[in-house]
Amino acid sequence: MTSNIAEQKITAMRTQHDIATSFSNRSLFWKSNYLVDSSFLHHVSFAFWIAEMARPASVVELGIDDGQCYFTFCQAIERMNLAARCLAYSNPEHAHNFSALQAYNSRNYDYFSRISEKELHGALFGLHDQATDILIVNVAQMSDSTLGDIAENWTAKLTDRGMVLLYNYSEGSRKEWVRNILKNATREVGMPCVFDTGDDLSLILYGENADARLRQLVELEHGSTDYNHIRAIFRRLGEGHFNEYRDLKKMTGQKKLKKANKKLIARIRKLENKIKKASSESHVALGDLNHTINTLTRQHEEQRHAQSQEAEALAQICEEYKAEVAAYKATIEEKDTDIDTVTGQINALQGELRSLKVVAGQSAEIHQREVIALTKIAEDRVAMITDLRTRADRHVEELHRLTQASVGWQTEITQLRSDNDRLGRDLRLATEQKNFSERYRMVELKLRDLYIDRLQAPKRERARRERKEFDKQITLVATSSCFDSNWYLEAYPDVRAAGVDPARHFVLNGLYEGRKPNPTFDTVSYYIKHPDALEEELNPVAHKEIYRNSGE
């Protein structure tokens, strides 16, 4: 019975330690660069934490609305300098601020992010299979049929680290749909895979190779102490973003009001000046108008007198033109007689011309037949030459195409060889990294087991062992140049707060918790290089001092 209670306490201690480590990342305290009136403001810290844990290579949102969710993930990817690609699709029926979202995206994330307006069902089916790490679904932007189709097909689009983030489902029917989806996902995966914040946001973790901290999150039992604790952390941090937006909006409103008042005052003053100026100008314009009327009246009388004189002169000119017309008529009658005589002569000449044309036509017909025959021969020769030239051009083009194809094949062969060499190098590097990670994890587990074994030992025996085995190590660590006590206290404020000697804390506790004696000394890496120190349960700094003093 006592053994079972001890095991339960140790398990509880281990769980609390893992949870505290997993949910203490700096991303929880990042400030959002994009703040709008959105219900997602309460989930910004949670989204930052998910992005840091998943470190996605591909993020897709179906149904972008106000942009708060999508731009939160874009900011996290840019801040972590990830080689990622982000896509967002806006439902055409709800695209009231599509242009504003595109403009903000172009100014800040255009080099890795794209926002498009597209029917959401088609957008999902347009994605490549097994290529999306985080799929974000804005439930309120979709119809019931679209939601059903997307839920049936989204697993095919996810990678082996993939997950689905559902949000904005406060409406009753949407909330019930999400509950059913979460239940079906748990049955489909066969293990816990859901984290429901209880505030219209849920995470479904499908990927088998997802980060262990995300797996630990979805394994929290709904309603448990740990679940409520983590949920409260995310909620409090989210309220901070909402309060920041509220304060920013208040300040912006005050600035806009002051600016509007200044513009209104300036406009009133400008109108007053225009009224004064218009009143002054109206008096001047009235005097000018009277002067213009008098001038026009005088000019009208002068023009009427001049027109009367011109009319008398025109009447005299008309009488002179009538006399000249009568003389021209007499001359025209004489010319008509002469024209009749000339016309008779022309008719006689036309008869002679027709006779000459008959003779010339007979000769021209003979020459025409000869010209047609010669033209036919020339056209045949031209057609033959054209055909030969066409064939020659085709042969030249074929030869040029084969030459280009040969160059392309050679380039492709060279590229394939280069790709093969690069893939070989990447495979070797990945294998080495995997082996190192496995050894790193084994050492961490070994240290944890040693720590638990020491804690399980009877208190008297543990005190005797600490005096016998660890006092010497504490002295070696405290005097070693590898142990920076000032840095240790600065890096781990909980040790400073506890008032514990830093060298003693590192030997008895810090070593097993993976803490470093100085900024450049990695405890686990040292044990990987010196497995004998781990087998002897010897502190790495003490081990290094012992072998340094022995000359090895």
Side-chain angles (χ1 to χ4, degrees):
M1 183 67 178
T2 304
S3 175
N4 293 335
I5 294 174
E7 289 178 359
Q8 292 176 358
K9 289 184 177 179
I10 292 170
T11 302
M13 289 173 59
R14 185 179 297 176
T15 302
Q16 292 175 359
H17 175 268
D18 291 343
I19 292 173
T21 303
S22 299
F23 300 100
S24 60
N25 299 73
R26 293 182 179 179
S27 59
L28 290 171
F29 305 98
W30 289 348
K31 294 185 65 176
S32 177
N33 297 334
Y34 182 85
L35 294 172
V36 295
D37 187 8
S38 171
S39 61
F40 196 83
L41 283 171
H42 295 85
H43 307 303
V44 168
S45 296
F46 183 54
F48 279 149
W49 182 84
I50 290 176
E52 186 180 17
M53 296 302 100
R55 302 185 72 83
S58 174
V59 177
V60 177
E61 177 168 356
L62 300 178
I64 183 172
D65 184 12
D66 52 44
Q68 186 65 61
C69 175
Y70 181 71
F71 289 134
T72 297
F73 279 95
C74 288
Q75 179 183 340
I77 287 170
E78 182 182 56
R79 180 159 184 167
M80 293 184 290
N81 196 24
L82 300 180
R85 182 66 175 163
C86 296
L87 299 172
Y89 295 99
S90 174
N91 189 338
E93 297 178 359
H94 301 276
H96 57 279
N97 59 343
F98 179 72
S99 299
L101 294 174
Q102 273 197 326
Y104 183 83
N105 186 71
S106 298
R107 291 195 303 270
N108 297 276
Y109 308 116
D110 189 48
Y111 64 98
F112 70 90
S113 169
R114 188 177 77 249
I115 300 178
S116 302
E117 189 175 9
K118 190 174 183 180
E119 194 274 323
L120 302 182
H121 180 276
L124 177 69
F125 284 91
L127 300 176
H128 294 295
D129 288 348
Q130 299 179 355
T132 302
D133 289 331
I134 299 179
L135 178 64
I136 306 169
V137 179
N138 186 350
V139 178
Q141 291 284 309
M142 303 183 189
S143 64
D144 293 341
S145 59
T146 302
L147 284 171
D149 290 342
I150 289 176
E152 289 179 2
N153 296 279
W154 63 33
T155 54
K157 307 300 178 181
L158 300 177
T159 65
D160 59 353
R161 302 186 300 126
M163 66 192 72
V164 176
L165 191 69
L166 304 171
Y167 79 98
N168 198 10
Y169 50 85
S170 58
E171 185 182 344
S173 60
R174 292 291 189 266
K175 190 180 291 290
E176 185 63 28
W177 179 86
V178 170
R179 287 198 191 99
N180 293 331
I181 286 294
L182 300 182
K183 292 178 183 178
N184 294 336
T186 303
R187 286 196 297 268
E188 180 181 348
V189 175
M191 64 174 65
C193 65
V194 171
F195 181 79
D196 183 2
T197 64
D199 298 316
D200 299 335
L201 184 139
S202 298
L203 173 69
I204 307 176
L205 190 64
Y206 284 101
E208 296 178 357
N209 295 325
D211 186 88
R213 290 164 291 186
L214 289 169
R215 180 63 61 190
Q216 185 180 16
L217 174 69
V218 299
E219 288 177 353
L220 292 174
E221 183 180 357
H222 187 81
S224 64
T225 302
D226 294 333
Y227 168 85
N228 292 332
H229 176 64
I230 297 306
R231 181 186 171 198
I233 290 174
F234 286 136
R235 177 177 292 178
R236 285 196 296 269
L237 293 173
E239 289 175 354
H241 292 283
F242 177 77
N243 293 334
E244 182 180 1
Y245 166 75
R246 184 184 58 191
D247 296 341
L248 180 64
K249 185 177 180 181
K250 185 183 297 183
M251 293 176 60
T252 304
Q254 292 175 351
K255 290 180 180 179
K256 287 183 178 180
L257 184 60
K258 290 181 180 178
K259 188 175 181 180
N261 287 336
K262 289 182 179 179
K263 287 184 177 180
L264 183 60
I265 293 172
R267 188 174 179 183
I268 292 172
R269 290 176 179 174
K270 189 174 181 179
L271 288 173
E272 289 177 347
N273 292 333
K274 284 185 177 180
I275 292 170
K276 292 179 180 179
K277 184 177 179 181
S279 177
S280 175
E281 289 176 351
S282 63
H283 293 292
V284 176
L286 184 60
D288 293 341
L289 182 60
N290 292 328
H291 177 71
T292 302
I293 291 172
N294 295 330
T295 302
L296 290 174
T297 302
R298 185 174 62 256
Q299 290 177 353
H300 176 68
E301 293 295 334
E302 292 175 354
Q303 288 178 356
R304 189 174 63 176
H305 179 68
Q307 289 174 354
S308 176
Q309 292 179 345
E310 288 178 358
E312 294 177 357
L314 286 173
Q316 185 178 357
I317 292 171
C318 285
E319 294 296 331
E320 294 175 356
Y321 280 156
K322 288 179 180 179
E324 290 180 359
V325 168
Y328 281 136
K329 285 182 177 180
T331 304
I332 290 171
E333 290 176 354
E334 293 177 358
K335 296 295 182 183
D336 287 339
T337 302
D338 295 337
I339 288 172
D340 292 337
T341 303
V342 172
T343 300
Q345 295 175 354
I346 290 172
N347 291 331
L349 291 173
Q350 285 179 346
E352 294 178 2
L353 180 61
R354 281 193 294 271
S355 300
L356 292 173
K357 282 183 178 181
V358 172
V359 175
Q362 293 174 351
S363 299
E365 185 177 353
I366 296 171
H367 290 299
Q368 183 69 25
R369 286 198 295 268
E370 293 177 353
V371 169
I372 291 173
L374 292 173
T375 303
K376 182 67 169 64
I377 295 171
E379 289 176 350
D380 292 341
R381 296 286 177 86
V382 170
M384 184 182 299
I385 293 171
T386 303
D387 183 59
L388 291 174
R389 285 180 177 174
T390 302
R391 293 181 182 180
D393 291 340
R394 289 176 182 173
H395 289 308
V396 171
E397 290 176 358
E398 182 67 18
L399 179 60
H400 182 65
R401 186 184 64 78
L402 291 174
T403 302
Q404 289 183 336
S406 175
V407 173
W409 294 335
Q410 190 66 33
T411 303
E412 186 174 354
I413 291 170
T414 303
Q415 182 64 36
L416 289 173
R417 288 175 178 171
S418 174
D419 292 343
N420 187 47
D421 295 340
R422 178 176 56 79
L423 289 173
R425 290 193 300 270
D426 293 345
L427 180 59
R428 287 193 298 272
L429 179 61
T431 302
E432 292 174 0
Q433 291 177 346
K434 180 180 179 183
N435 292 337
F436 181 79
S437 299
E438 290 177 352
R439 294 171 64 188
Y440 199 94
R441 182 59 179 166
M442 291 298 294
V443 170
E444 287 182 330
L445 293 174
K446 178 66 176 177
L447 287 172
R448 180 174 292 181
D449 291 342
L450 291 173
Y451 187 53
I452 292 174
D453 291 343
R454 184 159 65 83
L455 292 176
Q456 288 178 333
K459 187 173 182 181
R460 185 175 300 171
E461 180 183 344
R462 186 171 63 196
R464 179 183 61 78
R465 185 182 178 191
E466 289 179 358
R467 288 195 301 272
K468 181 180 179 181
E469 298 179 10
F470 294 129
D471 285 353
K472 183 179 180 181
Q473 294 186 36
I474 292 171
T475 302
L476 285 173
V477 169
T479 58
S480 172
S481 59
C482 292
F483 185 75
D484 189 341
S485 59
N486 291 329
W487 177 87
Y488 192 85
L489 292 175
E490 289 293 332
Y492 306 112
D494 57 323
V495 179
R496 179 191 294 275
V500 182
D501 177 66
R504 183 175 186 84
H505 181 273
F506 178 70
V507 173
L508 297 180
N509 303 97
L511 159 67
Y512 303 100
E513 297 170 352
R515 306 198 188 200
K516 299 180 180 181
N518 64 57
T520 61
F521 191 106
D522 192 319
T523 304
V524 177
S525 297
Y526 186 86
Y527 276 135
I528 292 174
K529 294 179 181 178
H530 302 280
D532 55 318
L534 183 60
E535 292 298 329
E536 296 175 10
E537 197 176 344
L538 189 60
N539 187 281
V541 176
H543 181 269
K544 187 171 185 176
E545 291 298 328
I546 292 171
Y547 281 90
R548 179 190 292 174
N549 295 334
S550 63
E552 296 184 9

